[in-house]
Amino acid sequence: MADLPQDAGSPLNIPSPSRPSVLSLAIKEKSALFSAYMPFLKNGGIFVPTNKSYRLGEEIYVILTLLDDPSKYPIAGKVAWVTPAGAGNNKSQGIGVHFPQDESGIRVKTRVEEVLGASIRSSRATHTL
């Protein structure tokens, strides 16, 4: 049996891909959804309160439930915003997750904007801006 060169698929040289973190977020009120939604991101996004540290661009998986909607919205997104512990203006620690540009991202963006309606253009403070 011939020895394989080290770079020819030896299990010892294959880096194991890190799995994205999984977070669940249940938003029960329209005002909380308004505070968490990030319409200024190209595909939309959602602020997820968390004490764990993340880096910009890091892949994350969020399971989102909205108000009384029995559906769960799985989001395989990327960290686009980080609010660290101790941020000013009483901002909650957490991350903003950019929705993916696929069917699931379009579905959740459409649903969030449908729930928020005209209030999406309000100038009230949010968790992000």
Side-chain angles (χ1 to χ4, degrees), residues 44-61:
I46 197 85
F47 179 82
V48 181
T50 180
N51 295 330
K52 188 175 176 200
S53 294
Y54 291 91
R55 293 178 319 277
L56 291 177
E58 189 171 341
E59 292 184 6
I60 185 112
Y61 193 80

Side-chain angles (χ1 to χ4, degrees), residues 14 23 26 30 38 46 48 69 73 75 80 89 94 98 100 102 113 115 120-121 123-124:
I14 299 172
L23 297 172
K30 188 175 175 180
M38 303 172 79
I46 197 85
V48 181
D69 186 342
Y73 297 89
I75 303 162
N89 298 330
H98 194 185
D102 63 12
E113 292 182 355
V115 169
I120 203 167
R121 291 181 274 292
S123 60
R124 290 185 322 214

